[in-house]
Amino acid sequence: MSVRSYRRPRPLSPLREHLRDTLWFAPTVGLVLAVLLWVGASALDTALITALKEEQSYDEVRSLVSITEDAKTIVTTISSAMMTFIGVVFSISLVAVQMASGQLTPRVVRIFVRSRISKLTLTIFLATFLFSLLVLTSYDSDINPRRVSSVPVIQSLLTMVLVALSLLLFIAYVSSTLRLMQVGPVVDRITREAMRALARQPTGEGTPVELPPESLRIPYRGRAGVLRDVNVTWLVRRARRQGVVLRLIPRIGDFVVPGTPMLAVHGTSNTRLRVPSFAVHVGTERTFHQDLGLGLRQLSDIALRALSPAVNDPTTAVQCVDRIVQLLSALAHEPLGALHHRDAQGQVRLEQDVPNWTDLVDLGLAEIRAASTDAPQVTRRLMAAIDDLLLLLTQDSAATWGRDERVMVEERRIPLLRHRTLLVQSVVGTVPEAADREFALLADRQGIG
């Protein structure tokens, strides 16, 4: 079995993830850059006119003034129409996202918020609007080439470039937003984010690490909410300075309230440990940053809504099962369990609990299995999914492994066999006809063709 090597988390990784979950940061940076771009372009325009006047090239100045006067009409139109354009475009887009959240799950709104093309489009639209307003202030009321101080030639050209870029981004943005209304792209996006979350962090070491005796528990003092992530770098550094090992008590994704034990201190510290607010981040909903099970949770939610009597869309549930199998296959041979974060000397300083294999299998299969007994398309796909996962966990595939790995493979087959047995029992108890039961329990990767 290959265990992925430990990678120390980046210090600014939590901050970067939190900013990705906001819709204000990128547009704000874009507006600041628009002002700086205008300041630079204005300085270049002033330097250009000053150089031409020093050379007494007044004919060239007169030509530039004539060109910019013609461009002023276009810039004025852009500045007056851009904000209306922004409002109409994003109103339509938000309606589309609302429809998608109603059909799939409300959590797809988060995909829209984190979408890079959405943020880039909004940023460029607002930057174009602000830049065009600033360019209008650069026009000189005196058009005499001998007295004019600045002619916004470069500024007008940059405005045209921003408008062209806005149009191109508008096309890409509409295409991206419309894809949010399709099941395939949404479940694919969730799966890719879950796979990136798995790749960013080790999932365990396969063997337990003995910690010093527990000496203290630090309660949580902030507002109630979902534990989204922890600042691993700060906690490891703090534990190293105190000569102790910290253990995160709740899992990422747990709901915590003030007074909940947050960290257990293993070892003896000379000073009192305090956990600042930036070291433990609690919010209103879960994120993919350090949450190994969120992808399975979202896929299961979409499948359950598709299997509800109000929707009755088993094909969508089958597509979710496809992606659940993809995620579980990637985790099948990973050493799950406690995650140990180490300092620069290789000493364990923070232990973090992550879901084990049984937890993940139950999360991905249990609710869908219970809701699909009267949907043969889904039961057939579930049978094929369980059989495929069992095939990945055969002793033949572990022929070159040691005894511990073989034991792990056998243990991981147990929850899959349990779900297979429960699925058969549910179908037998629900479907009265023997022929229909046999049909519903026939493994089929497409459900029903």
Side-chain angles (χ1 to χ4, degrees):
M1 175 184 295
S2 61
V3 179
R4 285 182 283 125
S5 59
Y6 177 78
R7 293 190 306 171
R8 298 185 66 187
R10 298 176 181 178
L12 296 180
S13 181
L15 176 61
R16 181 184 61 184
E17 288 297 318
H18 298 166
L19 291 178
R20 284 197 64 190
D21 285 331
T22 64
L23 200 57
W24 61 266
F25 179 73
T28 302
V29 173
L31 293 176
V32 173
L33 293 178
V35 174
L36 296 177
L37 180 63
W38 172 75
V39 171
S42 180
L44 290 176
D45 284 329
T46 302
L48 175 61
I49 296 303
T50 301
L52 291 176
K53 291 172 68 175
E54 289 177 353
E55 296 177 0
Q56 297 185 351
S57 303
Y58 296 110
D59 291 337
E60 286 77 1
V61 175
R62 185 178 293 106
S63 298
L64 293 178
V65 170
S66 177
I67 293 173
T68 54
E69 284 297 319
D70 294 336
K72 183 178 181 179
T73 304
I74 301 176
V75 175
T76 303
T77 304
I78 292 171
S79 62
S80 61
M82 184 56 70
M83 186 54 70
T84 303
F85 182 63
I86 293 173
V88 171
V89 169
F90 277 85
S91 296
I92 297 173
S93 302
L94 290 177
V95 171
V97 172
Q98 185 177 9
M99 293 177 60
S101 65
Q103 294 173 357
L104 302 176
T105 172
R107 292 161 190 83
V108 299
V109 177
R110 182 176 176 274
I111 297 177
F112 171 78
V113 174
R114 289 176 62 90
S115 172
R116 289 188 175 91
I117 188 64
S118 299
K119 294 179 180 179
L120 181 60
T121 302
L122 179 59
T123 300
I124 296 300
F125 280 10
L126 293 176
T128 302
F129 172 70
L130 178 60
F131 190 82
S132 62
L133 290 180
L134 295 174
V135 171
L136 289 177
T137 65
S138 300
Y139 283 95
D140 201 327
S141 58
D142 192 347
I143 61 175
N144 190 322
R146 295 180 179 274
R147 294 193 299 268
V148 69
S149 59
S150 176
V151 179
V153 180
I154 298 176
Q155 298 173 62
S156 299
L157 291 176
L158 288 176
T159 303
M160 306 303 174
V161 171
L162 287 175
V163 170
L165 182 59
S166 298
L167 294 176
L168 293 176
L169 285 175
F170 170 69
I171 298 172
Y173 175 74
V174 171
S175 175
S176 175
T177 303
L178 290 178
R179 287 174 62 84
L180 287 179
M181 302 180 66
Q182 304 175 26
V183 178
V186 171
V187 297
D188 178 69
R189 179 70 174 270
I190 293 173
T191 306
R192 285 190 284 113
E193 287 202 31
M195 295 295 286
R196 281 196 293 266
L198 172 62
R200 277 195 302 261
Q201 63 179 10
T203 53
E205 298 182 358
T207 56
V209 175
E210 185 175 354
L211 302 180
E214 181 180 325
S215 60
L216 177 67
R217 288 198 171 190
I218 304 175
Y220 173 65
R221 297 298 184 187
R223 63 175 184 174
V226 176
L227 181 61
R228 303 180 67 180
D229 54 57
V230 295
N231 193 326
V232 174
T233 303
W234 188 92
L235 291 175
V236 168
R237 186 184 300 119
R238 185 68 172 173
R240 179 180 60 81
R241 290 176 180 176
Q242 299 297 325
V244 297
V245 179
L246 299 177
R247 176 170 57 86
L248 185 66
I249 297 175
R251 284 181 180 176
I252 301 297
D254 286 356
F255 189 86
V256 296
V257 297
T260 301
M262 180 61 65
L263 290 170
V265 180
H266 292 260
T268 304
S269 175
N270 297 326
T271 60
R272 183 177 180 181
L273 285 171
R274 294 183 178 180
V275 181
S277 58
F278 63 82
V280 178
H281 186 254
V282 173
T284 56
E285 60 181 1
R286 299 161 66 176
T287 68
F288 278 101
H289 183 212
Q290 297 175 358
D291 198 333
L292 203 59
L294 181 56
L296 292 172
R297 177 70 273 164
Q298 291 189 349
L299 292 172
S300 181
D301 287 345
I302 295 174
L304 290 175
R305 177 164 295 197
L307 291 172
S308 65
V311 179
N312 193 20
D313 184 11
T315 303
T316 294
V318 167
Q319 289 181 276
C320 293
V321 174
D322 292 341
R323 299 300 181 168
I324 289 173
V325 173
Q326 179 182 349
L327 291 176
L328 292 178
S329 298
L331 291 164
H333 294 156
E334 292 289 346
L336 301 171
L339 177 62
H340 298 98
H341 300 280
R342 302 173 182 272
D343 58 17
Q345 286 72 39
Q347 297 294 322
V348 174
R349 294 300 179 185
L350 176 64
E351 181 178 278
Q352 177 183 348
D353 190 23
V354 297
N356 57 35
W357 173 253
T358 301
D359 296 333
L360 296 172
V361 170
D362 291 341
L363 178 58
L365 300 180
E367 294 173 302
I368 300 177
R369 172 183 54 76
S372 64
T373 53
D374 58 348
Q377 181 179 357
V378 183
T379 58
R380 288 161 62 98
R381 180 63 186 100
L382 283 174
M383 290 295 292
I386 295 173
D387 289 348
D388 288 342
L389 292 172
L390 287 172
L391 186 62
L392 288 175
L393 294 171
T394 58
Q395 290 294 342
D396 292 339
S397 65
T400 60
W401 295 352
R403 179 180 178 277
D404 292 340
E405 287 79 5
R406 288 175 176 269
V407 172
M408 186 203 73
V409 165
E410 194 60 35
E411 290 177 349
R412 292 195 174 183
R413 290 174 57 88
I414 295 175
L416 294 172
L417 293 172
R418 171 169 55 86
H419 279 287
R420 197 178 194 281
T421 301
L422 291 174
L423 178 61
V424 172
Q425 292 176 352
S426 298
V427 172
V428 170
T430 304
V431 182
E433 296 295 333
D436 291 337
R437 290 197 297 267
E438 182 180 357
F439 177 81
L441 293 175
L442 183 64
D444 186 349
R445 291 190 179 91
Q446 293 187 24
I448 301 177

